[in-house]
Amino acid sequence: MAAWRDAPELPDFSLLKRLARDQLIFLLEQLPGKKDLFIDADLMSPLDRIANVTILKQHEVDKLYKVELKPIVSSSDQLCFLIRPRIQTVKWISDLVNADKVAGRFRRYKIIFTPQKFYACETVLEEQGVYGDVTTDEWNFYILPLDDDILSLELPEFFRDNFLEGDQRWVTTAGSALHLLQSVYGSFSKVYGIGRCAKMVYESWRELMEEGEQRTRQPEFAKVFLVDRDVDFVTPLCSQVVYEGLVDDLFRIKCGSVEFGPDVTSSDKSIKVMLNSQDKVFSEIRNEHFSNVFGFLSQKAKNLQTAYDKRRGMDIQQMKAFVSDELKGLKQEHRLLSLHIGASESMMKKKTKQDFQELLKTEHSLLEGFEIRECITYIEEHINRQVSMIDSLRLLCLLSITENGLLSKDYRSLKAQYLQSYGIKHLLTFANLRQLGLLEEQQAGETLTVMESKVGKLVNDKTVGKLTDAFSSLAKKSNFRALSKRLALVPKSGEEYDLRVPRDMAYVFSGAYIPLSCKLIEQVLERDGWTGLEEVTRMLNGQEFAVTEARNKTDAQRIVLVMFLGGCTFSEISALRFLGKERGCRFIVVTTAITNSARLLEALLDNHA
Amino acid sequence: HHYIGATWHVLKIELYEMGWNLKDGLRECLVAAAPYGGPISLLKGHNRRSPSARPQLEIYSSSGLPLASFPWKSGVVKQLGWTVSDDLLCVQEDGTVLVYDLLGGFKRHFSMGNEVSQSQVLETKIFHSPYGTGVAILTGALRFTLATNIDDIKLRRLPEVPGLQGAPSCWAVLTQDRQSKVLVANGSHLFILDNTACTPVTPPGLSPQASSIVHMCVSFSYKYLALLTDSGHVWMGTSNLKEKLSEVDTKIKTPPKQMAWCRRPKSQQPSAVVMWDGLLIVVGECKETIQYHLDDDSILVPELDGVRIISGTHHELLQEVPGACEEIFKIASMAPGALLLEAHKEYEKESQKADEYLREIKEQSLLSEAVRQCVEAAGHEHEPETQKTLLRAASFGKCFLSNFPPEQFVSMCRDLRVLNAVRDYTVGIPLTHTQFKQMTVQVLIDRLVYRKLYPLAIEICRYLKTPEYQGVSRVLKHWACYKVQQKEESDEVIAKAVSVKLADAAGIFYSEIATKAYESGRTELAIKLLEFEPRSGEQVPLLLKMKKSPLALSKAIESGDTDLVYTVVMYLKNELNRGDFFMMLRNQPVALSLYKQFCKHQEQDTLKDLFNQDDDHEELGNLYVKASYKEQRLEARIALLQSAVDEYYKAKNEFSAKTTEDEMRLLRFQRKLEEEKGELLVGFSLHDTMTTLLSVGLHKHAEQLYKDFRVPDKRFWWLKLKSLAEKEDWEELEKFGKSKKSPIGYLPFVEVCIKHHNKYEAKKYVSKVTPEQKVKAHLAVGDMEGAAEAAIERRNESEISTVLSRCSATTDHLLMERLNRAKATAVKK
């Protein structure tokens, strides 16, 4: 798997980092002299990938602080805040400024919003009476390249804001990110998409295209696929079993790096490791089903030993060459290998246990629509035994989506039991899940159209369309079973599936399920549009589109950009890599953030806001 | 052509015969002509003060075609001048400056300050710098006040000039070191005034005969200075007064009317023009001067590369002859360009000589130089015929060159076509090629637009292939902005005309045009025009300005730009009363959800009001629940939950209401127990409460909860099982196991005991396990025999396999054989 034969070269995304760094330095220099820098907690890791502490210090950043929304201790006369445009944070800064005023202290304040500023934030500054005391700037850091083929907007809140709160503020951000890619890497020939948000992002991007100057240059990728996370909720709710996904589920990969605890490193220290294609060991196992990984790693260890053993019988000259040419590489590989072996051991320990096997079995039954009663009993027990707050919720959601909602009786009883286990505050969680269509009670009687016509009378014609959209996304039926049949997402049970030789994308879920999102991408690329998929899109609530921007026939045709709005899982990335290999093309994933079931559900809890 | 010395000569060419018909020429007129061939303004009889005979202000093109004319009704004008964007400035005696566009439309006025208006304007100069157009004033109090940029007025009062008794003999404005300064002559003394100081200066080598400096002028670039003394000497040097370039005696001692520099950029020659009544003298480096007789009152207009002379009848350009032209047209010139021109002439005559000339050039390898000279010379020529001759020669020469880059030739042809078009009498912008290059096409297009010469401007943009945004679209936008101000046409007609003309132009912002319409009082037209704006976001600000807020809100929402929606929402919040505001939001779900987001962080109470207005009891209930767990005090917490219960009932959500009531009961129970037993419980979930109670041995209380809260049997059994095993209370566990039939079966008993490493206890429950779970149970306690037995008995192939996989080949040899046999029969079956 070393070189992907016949696969096109990927563009060099490190350019994006350089652009971001240069702009940041420029902005920091707008506030000359020594200053303390306050950084939003969730910007720290991304920032570190762009400009490390040394670079910041070179541009007169004195001390670095994490934004904690608490009073600060800083003796500097210049404070610079590098933050996401959030009302809460801006309010905190306003309070700081006002406190300084009361104390008769004069400082200079600068807020750098990234990736853009929002009017709402400026309103807060105005309302708090500090608008004139603070200068604001924008750091247009839209995209962080996490790997050769993964670009992230690092906006986990995109999911909740857009799909739950109905706040579309990030739509333009996503549009700008695409525009940035286009201006750096050339224009696209074809754009496909599905989902309300995808459509809006495309429109926002289009507007930027029209405003800006058109550059005619050889494009580096030619097709774009935009997909809303709510088109496919099933995939991110499944347990991940491909190595990279499993590492994310178990250890949480943060901004392309993971911290392996003592149980993995078999020492008393934790070790931070970057997980990307630079890590030769990792890049070979990241897409493998975890059951293969251990065998693979032990083979690798043997090979490594053989390489070390070459030393025997070497003369001085050969030894010298060995030490200078190979040893360092071997040692590095050795270090990584032992870490990944540690990680997979820890994984095997957890995952081969009875519990996990039963959990997977339940998930597979739900996907297949088989033995649903048993599944419900299993979930009930899961809740009653307080096994895991998030996992129980995940199973409930999977049950609801695959079954088009729960029977009233089941819904009430499971919900009551869940609240008994985890407390009444989850009433709000359930409200959120219902709003997103993740966990619903099957309704008898009142249909959508009745609601629509009721509301429709209140508003003018133009908005009715939008409202209908809004409602259909609120109360949409998942139609999973029908979709699954139509797109053959669930292979026939009983057939042996050799996970070492995957035959389709289902291998990322042990052969039990092909991710819906990836299947859609495959189908649309194959058909060069949505023709023939009418029934599928109808079941997905429509909102699909395909636009031809320009015609060009180059190698770039074989590089496809897939943008996930609301997050994407490593399993999906692995599935797309597999698909790319099958089709001799390559996929670049642009996502608002890397997600998994835990992140997705945690975003919908309401105990923190 | 007039030669002075061996290498220098000047050339005077006629630009236009003036189209105006002035009875008295320029006599007794206040005149101002804009540089770069700009418009000319005249104010006749500007000193007249009687209302019965008002002065007349007239504006003409450079060719003397009338652009505007109107009686002057304001105060006494001391000076006229033009800004860099072709606006006319009229400086009045009281220091008020009135600004008009070049078609005579009044734009605005501004004051030069109280001090000026009190002591009145004595003299004034209008000057240009990289910062824009400036105004300098000498007041009656003999002080200077200066504004460097009239578009961003910052008045500066300069320091006093020592010993100044009356008006200084002459003065000028300089731009040096990014600052505007005034150079003043008081008799023979010269001073430089800047922001802070008045510094005496001495021009190096100024002729000692002079007792007074009577006139001075600064070059177009501010680099050079010329001084005229009462002894008739013209001193020329650098404006920093560090270097003298030349000094020439004009032999005329009367004060002149005007003096100006006449110099090309990069020329080595200093030269100035001094004008008296009827006489014009050009002075240069050497002693000789050139003299011209003037028939009529004239004014000098300094340009970048020469001086224009405007009289009542003629408009001329005086220029140093450009190098290329001189090379080519000098009599008997052997310059390559001259030879090429000859060669081409002979070629046209089909004469053999063409070849000879060509060979001569080629022998010296100067053909490309020759072509360049011809092209350059063409650029300096005003006569289209001469231009053509030179360009043809250049084109002819180019044929014999293989790698000559075509750009210079091509762009010169284009430039000249444009220049000839704007020099045309009807347009009247006599630009030289040098000026055109300095000014840029952009600015030229602007000037044409100011003159409302839209078709020509568009023609030029298309011809020069100017990008549409900067070119055609911009012109069309200006046209449309002009069009919407035409009062005599109806809204429909104008809207239609605008949309038809602008239909396929790229980058047009209809919002700008609509704004113009609104500013000229045509709101309806503005709304019509906004409809053409494809970017709904662009429509919003104007709609707000026009107080069309509902429309603005829906347009903002249509744009999909949340930030814009937010802007409108915030605007409405401040504009409308709360009721109307909420009403409007109610019809706009997107705006509403956005505002709710804002309220969540900023105004919790408003959020409540919003839900209240919508009778959204469900959300209100949720809001109270949320508030409750932020509340520390128990009573307040319960009160909030009670409010939630009420709301949930109103929302007919019995489930939530009941659950919340349960929570209130639980909280009371927890508090009571906390008080009695000192165990921390408040805030725990039901499950956690029971776990805690069981772990501290409060079984009775746990059981009370089990009954009161309809806890499923299964949960209770799991809880109790785990808690007893945790405490290793095996006796109690056994009793519990026997108390009644376990709703969770007995496998959990086995597993939990094993988890706590008690195989002995675990085994007690194996027999109670259901047949389906027997194998699992036996395996859990490590009883391979039992597991095998159970599996074989059930004849279940997969169970047999499971047991087999757990067998060890060394110790369980016999067992494996049995199992394999059983498996074989099971498969057969």
Side-chain angles (χ1 to χ4, degrees):
Chain A
M1 234 192 346
W4 289 5
R5 232 170 351 110
D6 195 31
E9 277 289 307
L10 289 177
D12 175 18
F13 290 120
S14 61
L15 191 61
L16 296 172
K17 286 196 201 178
R18 282 214 299 281
L19 284 173
R21 179 168 56 228
D22 291 352
Q23 202 207 351
L24 179 64
I25 290 171
F26 173 79
L27 290 174
L28 286 175
E29 283 178 351
Q30 302 291 300
L31 189 66
K34 282 218 177 295
K35 58 223 152 216
D36 282 358
L37 184 63
F38 291 78
I39 308 166
D40 249 345
D42 47 359
L43 274 175
M44 302 207 70
S45 299
L47 177 65
D48 198 46
R49 301 279 177 276
I50 299 298
N52 56 27
V53 179
T54 326
I55 293 179
L56 295 178
K57 297 255 166 181
Q58 274 165 10
H59 296 89
E60 301 190 90
V61 169
D62 195 13
K63 294 198 185 79
L64 275 166
Y65 297 96
K66 187 156 78 177
V67 167
E68 288 179 303
L69 306 182
K70 282 189 273 191
I72 58 157
V73 204
S74 163
S75 54
S76 180
D77 285 333
Q78 303 203 89
L79 305 182
C80 187
F81 302 88
L82 183 59
I83 59 167
R84 291 276 183 224
R86 295 187 190 115
I87 291 175
Q88 239 182 334
T89 326
V90 176
K91 198 162 174 226
W92 167 73
I93 295 170
S94 310
D95 291 346
L96 287 184
V97 177
N98 279 325
D100 279 353
K101 273 190 197 168
V102 171
R105 168 145 208 191
F106 175 78
R107 297 200 235 223
R108 290 174 65 169
Y109 314 90
K110 181 186 192 68
I111 305 180
I112 301 174
F113 291 107
T114 186
Q116 66 197 95
K117 63 176 138 182
F118 286 134
Y119 181 78
C121 297
E122 290 185 324
T123 312
V124 173
L125 290 176
E126 233 176 276
E127 287 195 346
Q128 304 291 321
V130 297
Y131 189 75
D133 304 293
V134 179
T135 56
T136 60
D137 251 315
E138 277 182 352
W139 179 32
N140 303 120
F141 170 43
Y142 288 110
I143 297 172
L144 176 70
L146 289 180
D147 207 340
D148 298 345
D149 59 352
I150 312 176
L151 308 176
S152 171
L153 273 60
E154 292 295 307
L155 283 175
E157 65 242 68
F158 188 104
F159 175 65
R160 185 180 165 118
D161 283 350
N162 194 77
F163 295 103
L164 182 70
E165 313 275 5
D167 176 349
Q168 295 145 357
R169 69 172 71 192
W170 300 112
V171 165
T172 46
T173 314
S176 305
L178 285 172
H179 189 241
L180 171 67
L181 286 175
Q182 183 187 24
S183 50
V184 179
Y185 299 102
S187 53
F188 308 99
S189 62
K190 207 125 199 204
V191 183
Y192 316 95
I194 182 159
R196 204 163 109 82
C197 181
K199 223 172 186 175
M200 294 178 70
V201 168
Y202 172 70
E203 269 157 28
S204 141
W205 172 30
R206 203 186 164 78
E207 233 168 70
L208 288 170
M209 276 193 267
E210 279 165 10
E211 271 169 37
E213 273 177 61
Q214 293 294 325
R215 284 176 57 187
T216 43
R217 53 163 293 177
Q218 201 63 276
E220 298 204 48
F221 23 69
K223 291 184 182 173
V224 190
F225 194 103
L226 303 170
V227 57
D228 279 15
R229 184 69 275 173
D230 68 353
V231 166
D232 173 16
F233 274 138
V234 173
T235 307
L237 287 173
C238 291
S239 295
Q240 305 196 71
V241 287
V242 164
Y243 187 72
E244 191 167 12
L246 200 47
V247 171
D248 191 33
D249 274 2
L250 288 180
F251 306 100
R252 294 231 173 179
I253 298 174
K254 208 171 129 194
C255 211
S257 102
V258 73
E259 191 165 346
F260 284 134
D263 57 327
V264 170
T265 59
S266 45
S267 65
D268 49 358
K269 281 186 307 217
S270 290
I271 296 180
K272 258 196 176 173
V273 198
M274 290 293 291
L275 294 179
N276 54 38
S277 55
Q278 302 296 307
D279 176 343
K280 291 290 167 257
V281 179
F282 177 70
S283 69
E284 285 186 73
I285 53 173
R286 66 197 307 184
N287 301 314
E288 292 289 317
H289 190 273
F290 82 99
S291 59
N292 300 333
V293 169
F294 203 65
F296 177 87
L297 289 176
S298 44
Q299 184 55 46
K300 189 94 191 159
K302 274 183 212 143
N303 295 349
L304 199 60
Q305 188 59 49
T306 322
Y308 272 122
D309 288 348
K310 274 206 310 200
R311 280 179 301 177
R312 283 186 210 132
M314 280 184 183
D315 60 25
I316 294 278
Q317 275 309 316
Q318 286 168 326
M319 184 65 94
K320 227 171 138 185
F322 175 80
V323 170
S324 64
D325 302 340
E326 286 176 60
L327 194 60
K328 198 175 163 218
L330 288 176
K331 279 202 165 152
Q332 168 77 358
E333 205 175 331
H334 183 189
R335 194 182 70 90
L336 292 169
L337 193 58
S338 59
L339 274 175
H340 287 299
I341 288 178
S344 65
E345 264 175 350
S346 152
M347 234 171 240
M348 294 298 264
K349 247 185 251 160
K350 284 179 192 135
K351 296 300 179 186
T352 50
K353 276 207 302 202
Q354 190 76 17
D355 300 352
F356 186 62
Q357 292 302 334
E358 274 177 26
L359 187 76
L360 281 184
K361 205 183 121 210
T362 308
E363 282 179 28
H364 294 172
S365 299
L366 289 174
L367 290 168
E368 247 181 285
F370 200 64
E371 298 182 329
I372 295 303
R373 259 307 121 196
E374 281 79 354
C375 291
I376 293 175
T377 314
Y378 177 83
I379 297 170
E380 201 173 9
E381 188 183 312
H382 205 267
I383 296 168
N384 278 331
R385 289 173 57 195
Q386 231 190 22
V387 179
S388 150
M389 179 177 91
I390 290 292
D391 272 344
S392 292
L393 217 47
R394 182 164 73 79
L395 290 169
L396 283 173
C397 294
L398 261 184
L399 173 66
S400 168
I401 299 178
T402 52
E403 289 292 296
N404 259 352
L406 274 61
L407 292 175
S408 224
K409 173 177 71 81
D410 291 331
Y411 178 78
R412 282 170 197 223
S413 127
L414 289 168
K415 183 170 166 186
Q417 295 189 49
Y418 191 89
L419 295 178
Q420 283 188 356
S421 279
Y422 299 108
I424 188 199
K425 56 179 180 266
H426 288 287
L427 265 182
L428 307 178
T429 309
F430 280 89
N432 290 344
L433 293 172
R434 194 188 58 206
Q435 198 181 325
L436 271 180
L438 274 170
L439 181 49
E440 288 178 302
E441 186 175 356
Q442 285 173 7
Q443 295 279 351
E446 182 153 51
T447 57
L448 197 62
T449 37
V450 178
M451 287 251 289
E452 262 174 57
S453 65
K454 257 195 217 161
V455 180
K457 280 187 198 110
L458 287 172
V459 291
N460 56 38
D461 291 342
K462 257 193 184 164
T463 34
V464 167
K466 301 236 163 192
L467 258 180
T468 314
D469 293 350
F471 273 107
S472 57
S473 81
L474 289 186
K476 72 174 173 196
K477 290 274 166 273
S478 66
N479 298 314
F480 177 78
R481 208 64 73 205
L483 276 168
S484 160
K485 214 169 142 196
R486 189 96 210 151
L487 292 169
L489 298 180
V490 177
K492 283 191 194 76
S493 64
E495 279 178 41
E496 274 301 313
Y497 198 103
D498 187 354
L499 292 168
R500 271 168 304 184
V501 195
R503 61 164 180 260
D504 54 24
M505 293 187 281
Y507 93 94
V508 301
F509 290 116
S510 310
Y513 162 65
I514 297 174
L516 168 59
S517 51
C518 303
K519 186 76 182 181
L520 278 177
I521 295 165
E522 179 206 80
Q523 290 293 309
V524 168
L525 291 179
E526 204 164 87
R527 294 155 197 265
D528 195 18
W530 295 95
T531 332
L533 294 170
E534 290 80 7
E535 202 180 331
V536 170
T537 55
R538 192 182 47 76
M539 286 190 282
L540 289 169
N541 282 298
Q543 308 279 0
E544 79 282 3
F545 60 93
V547 194
T548 307
E549 295 285 348
R551 303 212 173 271
N552 43 22
K553 281 255 180 280
T554 56
D555 206 37
Q557 290 289 28
R558 294 192 295 132
I559 299 186
V560 183
L561 198 82
V562 179
M563 185 181 229
F564 284 89
L565 297 160
C568 144
T569 64
F570 281 118
S571 296
E572 284 165 316
I573 297 175
S574 290
L576 288 176
R577 285 180 184 140
F578 174 85
L579 183 64
K581 249 197 311 174
E582 293 278 291
R583 303 285 155 104
C585 63
R586 291 197 73 170
F587 288 93
I588 293 162
V589 169
V590 190
T591 179
T592 50
I594 294 289
T595 194
N596 60 18
S597 54
R599 291 197 194 93
L600 188 94
L601 291 171
E602 277 162 9
L604 302 175
L605 301 183
D606 240 320
N607 50 2
H608 47 78
Chain B
H1 292 196
H2 296 260
Y3 292 80
I4 295 183
T7 57
W8 182 69
H9 65 270
V10 290
L11 170 68
K12 196 169 81 161
I13 55 166
E14 173 153 332
L15 296 171
Y16 303 108
E17 207 168 302
M18 295 306 275
W20 60 32
N21 189 13
L22 303 179
K23 241 187 277 161
D24 305 314
L26 298 176
R27 196 164 302 141
E28 286 186 23
C29 273
L30 212 47
V31 189
Y36 291 99
I40 307 166
S41 59
L42 301 177
L43 189 62
K44 286 183 196 163
H46 61 284
N47 285 327
R48 272 181 248 154
R49 284 169 200 257
S50 103
S52 57
R54 291 190 192 282
Q56 187 77 8
L57 184 75
E58 292 172 350
I59 300 174
Y60 295 94
S61 76
S62 274
S63 54
L65 294 182
L67 296 173
S69 170
F70 56 92
W72 185 256
K73 291 177 185 166
S74 305
V76 173
V77 176
K78 295 295 284 186
Q79 180 78 41
L80 297 174
W82 292 93
T83 71
V84 285
S85 46
D86 274 357
D87 282 334
L88 178 64
L89 300 182
C90 308
V91 186
Q92 295 192 146
E93 207 170 36
D94 61 354
T96 312
V97 182
L98 290 85
V99 187
Y100 292 84
D101 66 29
L102 92 174
L103 296 177
F106 176 73
K107 289 179 96 169
R108 64 189 176 103
H109 70 88
F110 59 88
S111 158
M112 289 299 288
N114 286 336
E115 199 264 331
V116 175
S117 74
Q118 269 161 28
S119 45
Q120 300 275 294
V121 175
L122 204 59
E123 287 173 23
T124 176
K125 286 190 174 22
I126 287 155
F127 59 97
H128 306 286
S129 75
Y131 312 105
T133 301
V135 176
I137 282 175
L138 174 67
T139 69
L142 304 178
R143 293 290 294 269
F144 288 95
T145 294
L146 205 97
T148 308
N149 177 9
I150 57 154
D151 291 321
D152 176 22
I153 291 188
K154 290 192 186 82
L155 291 175
R156 289 192 289 132
R157 194 172 177 222
L158 302 185
E160 216 168 336
V161 181
L164 199 60
Q165 297 296 324
S169 41
C170 59
W171 58 283
V173 183
L174 289 173
T175 294
Q176 271 177 355
D177 313 325
R178 292 195 267 165
Q179 216 193 84
S180 297
K181 301 175 181 179
V182 170
L183 186 66
V184 198
N186 185 20
S188 61
H189 300 289
L190 206 54
F191 302 94
I192 283 193
L193 291 174
D194 63 15
N195 285 355
T196 50
C198 172
T199 322
V201 283
T202 330
L206 184 65
S207 143
Q209 293 112 298
S211 62
S212 172
I213 297 167
V214 293
H215 216 99
M216 63 171 77
C217 71
V218 185
S219 72
F220 210 77
S221 63
Y222 289 107
K223 263 195 210 145
Y224 303 100
L225 175 71
L227 304 170
L228 179 69
T229 64
D230 54 353
S231 61
H233 286 79
V234 177
W235 178 94
M236 285 181 273
T238 55
S239 63
N240 57 16
L241 293 162
K242 292 223 167 95
E243 202 187 327
K244 172 179 167 179
L245 296 172
S246 119
E247 194 167 8
V248 178
D249 188 0
T250 61
K251 306 197 173 71
I252 300 174
K253 294 193 175 156
T254 48
K257 279 176 71 184
Q258 212 183 340
M259 179 162 84
W261 278 84
C262 171
R263 190 186 165 278
R264 292 189 161 277
K266 289 184 195 133
S267 162
Q268 297 304 310
Q269 301 282 347
S271 61
V273 182
V274 194
M275 184 175 75
W276 286 267
D277 269 332
L279 180 67
L280 191 76
I281 291 185
V282 185
V283 293
E285 199 163 36
C286 41
K287 295 281 172 251
E288 295 110 291
T289 59
I290 308 171
Q291 304 204 355
Y292 293 98
H293 171 72
L294 297 174
D295 291 328
D296 200 356
D297 272 9
S298 299
I299 61 155
L300 299 178
V301 187
E303 289 281 6
L304 173 70
D305 54 350
V307 176
R308 284 187 289 130
I309 306 157
I310 301 171
S311 75
T313 51
H314 287 83
H315 192 159
E316 290 164 315
L317 173 66
L318 187 71
Q319 253 193 321
E320 185 185 328
V321 174
C325 298
E326 187 177 345
E327 290 272 336
I328 289 175
F329 292 115
K330 202 159 60 181
I331 295 158
S333 168
M334 293 297 278
L339 292 176
L340 180 60
L341 192 62
E342 270 322 301
H344 183 245
K345 266 185 201 153
E346 296 302 331
Y347 169 76
E348 299 239 286
K349 281 192 255 164
E350 298 182 11
S351 152
Q352 189 82 49
K353 280 188 184 161
D355 193 42
E356 282 168 34
Y357 281 120
L358 259 183
R359 204 172 307 140
E360 196 175 337
I361 310 171
K362 281 171 99 176
E363 268 163 17
Q364 304 172 67
S365 320
L366 286 173
L367 188 51
S368 50
E369 175 58 26
V371 173
R372 255 190 298 275
Q373 267 183 6
C374 287
V375 173
E376 201 194 320
H380 292 300
E381 286 299 328
H382 277 246
E383 272 307 313
E385 274 317 310
T386 321
Q387 293 165 3
K388 276 184 204 161
T389 311
L390 285 163
L391 287 173
R392 282 202 193 102
S395 164
F396 173 67
K398 246 156 49 87
C399 297
F400 303 95
L401 287 166
S402 49
N403 285 323
F404 191 79
E407 290 82 8
Q408 192 205 8
F409 180 80
V410 173
S411 70
M412 185 57 81
C413 290
R414 284 207 191 114
D415 289 353
L416 283 177
R417 247 193 110 174
V418 172
L419 281 176
N420 290 337
V422 298
R423 283 171 189 164
D424 187 273
Y425 178 77
T426 54
V427 179
I429 304 181
L431 282 178
T432 66
H433 189 254
T434 316
Q435 290 165 16
F436 173 61
K437 281 300 173 196
Q438 175 76 20
M439 149 193 252
T440 73
V441 187
Q442 292 292 315
V443 177
L444 178 61
I445 298 298
D446 279 342
R447 305 249 153 141
L448 294 174
V449 164
Y450 298 146
R451 286 165 172 77
K452 310 219 185 304
L453 297 169
Y454 304 112
L456 178 61
I458 289 176
E459 209 60 41
I460 290 177
C461 291
R462 294 218 170 107
Y463 180 66
L464 293 180
K465 299 196 172 65
T466 316
E468 217 171 324
Y469 289 93
Q470 300 152 19
V472 176
S473 293
R474 209 162 49 100
V475 179
L476 282 173
K477 188 196 81 186
H478 281 286
W479 167 79
C481 286
Y482 166 64
K483 185 87 187 161
V484 297
Q485 294 176 60
Q486 289 177 349
K487 300 252 185 308
E488 62 278 8
E489 289 189 62
S490 75
D491 290 349
E492 283 75 20
V493 171
I494 293 180
K496 182 126 194 293
V498 168
S499 78
V500 166
K501 266 257 158 63
L502 272 55
D504 49 356
I508 290 273
F509 282 82
Y510 281 89
S511 49
E512 283 179 42
I513 302 163
T515 306
K516 203 81 198 173
Y518 173 64
E519 281 168 5
S520 31
R522 304 184 74 158
T523 310
E524 286 312 307
L525 176 57
I527 294 174
K528 275 201 173 63
L529 288 168
L530 276 182
E531 283 300 317
F532 297 125
E533 175 65 62
R535 285 153 289 221
S536 22
E538 288 298 323
Q539 310 172 353
V540 174
L542 182 60
L543 286 171
L544 281 182
K545 219 198 271 175
M546 299 192 299
K547 307 249 180 266
K548 305 278 171 197
S549 4
L551 197 53
L553 187 57
S554 37
K555 290 291 179 192
I557 290 166
E558 230 172 80
S559 79
D561 179 347
T562 314
D563 229 20
L564 197 63
V565 180
Y566 206 89
T567 316
V568 180
V569 168
M570 282 301 144
Y571 178 88
L572 294 176
K573 184 186 161 205
N574 296 329
E575 282 297 296
L576 304 176
N577 67 47
R578 214 173 159 87
D580 293 348
F581 176 56
F582 282 4
M583 250 345 240
M584 194 174 283
L585 286 183
R586 199 171 172 174
N587 297 336
Q588 300 284 9
V590 176
L592 182 62
S593 67
L594 209 65
Y595 184 59
K596 277 183 192 162
Q597 277 281 81
F598 174 78
C599 290
K600 249 181 218 170
H601 296 288
Q602 285 285 75
E603 296 172 13
Q604 295 271 355
D605 290 339
T606 313
L607 202 56
K608 216 183 287 172
D609 295 346
L610 273 170
F611 291 140
N612 255 321
Q613 168 178 298
D614 282 356
D615 292 327
D616 192 341
H617 300 293
E618 180 81 34
E619 280 295 346
L620 277 170
N622 290 344
L623 199 67
Y624 284 122
V625 170
K626 196 176 209 170
S628 82
Y629 56 79
K630 277 189 195 145
E631 179 59 61
Q632 294 299 313
R633 292 160 305 142
L634 193 72
E635 274 318 313
R637 196 163 173 180
I638 288 175
L640 282 166
L641 287 173
Q642 183 58 53
S643 311
V645 170
D646 297 344
E647 296 298 340
Y648 284 138
Y649 275 123
K650 281 187 207 153
K652 301 208 168 52
N653 185 342
E654 217 149 295
F655 180 88
S656 294
K658 285 258 163 19
T659 315
T660 313
E661 279 172 337
D662 281 353
E663 175 73 5
M664 292 162 65
R665 261 196 307 145
L666 181 64
L667 280 171
R668 292 203 181 96
F669 175 90
Q670 287 168 334
R671 186 184 47 184
K672 196 168 140 244
L673 225 59
E674 256 188 34
E675 282 163 4
E676 284 172 16
K677 310 284 178 189
E679 202 60 47
L680 272 181
L681 290 171
V682 170
F684 282 12
S685 72
L686 184 59
H687 185 101
D688 293 341
T689 314
M690 289 168 76
T691 310
T692 315
L693 293 177
L694 288 169
S695 74
V696 296
L698 293 168
H699 293 262
K700 281 268 156 50
H701 294 92
E703 252 170 78
Q704 191 196 333
L705 286 177
Y706 162 50
K707 281 179 199 128
D708 288 0
F709 287 89
R710 301 176 309 278
V711 175
D713 292 346
K714 283 184 180 173
R715 180 193 298 274
F716 186 69
W717 276 68
W718 269 108
L719 269 171
K720 192 144 180 184
L721 165 63
K722 276 208 264 186
S723 117
L724 290 173
E726 200 80 43
K727 286 194 288 177
E728 307 197 338
D729 191 347
W730 307 115
E731 205 175 313
E732 191 62 34
L733 182 63
E734 198 172 347
K735 251 195 259 167
F736 175 58
K738 284 176 182 159
S739 64
K740 64 177 192 182
K741 190 170 178 293
S742 160
I744 54 173
Y746 291 92
L747 187 61
F749 281 73
V750 178
E751 284 172 347
V752 168
C753 290
I754 290 296
K755 204 173 167 193
H756 290 87
H757 314 290
N758 195 333
K759 208 185 249 185
Y760 173 78
E761 286 295 326
K763 280 181 176 165
K764 287 183 181 167
Y765 303 99
V766 173
S767 61
K768 296 181 134 183
V769 166
T770 58
E772 294 82 38
Q773 296 178 323
K774 273 269 155 60
V775 177
K776 260 191 196 168
H778 281 293
L779 285 176
V781 298
D783 174 7
M784 299 307 290
E785 298 256 352
E789 210 66 59
I792 292 167
E793 193 175 314
R794 283 170 45 74
R795 293 182 190 159
N796 182 315
E797 192 211 334
S798 82
E799 284 182 5
I800 296 173
S801 302
T802 313
V803 182
L804 264 172
S805 71
R806 295 278 293 272
C807 285
S808 128
T810 47
T811 53
D812 306 318
H813 185 67
L814 285 173
L815 203 59
M816 285 176 76
E817 267 178 24
R818 267 185 70 200
L819 282 164
N820 277 325
R821 273 201 304 279
K823 192 177 173 183
T825 50
V827 172
K828 244 181 261 164
K829 252 184 82 190

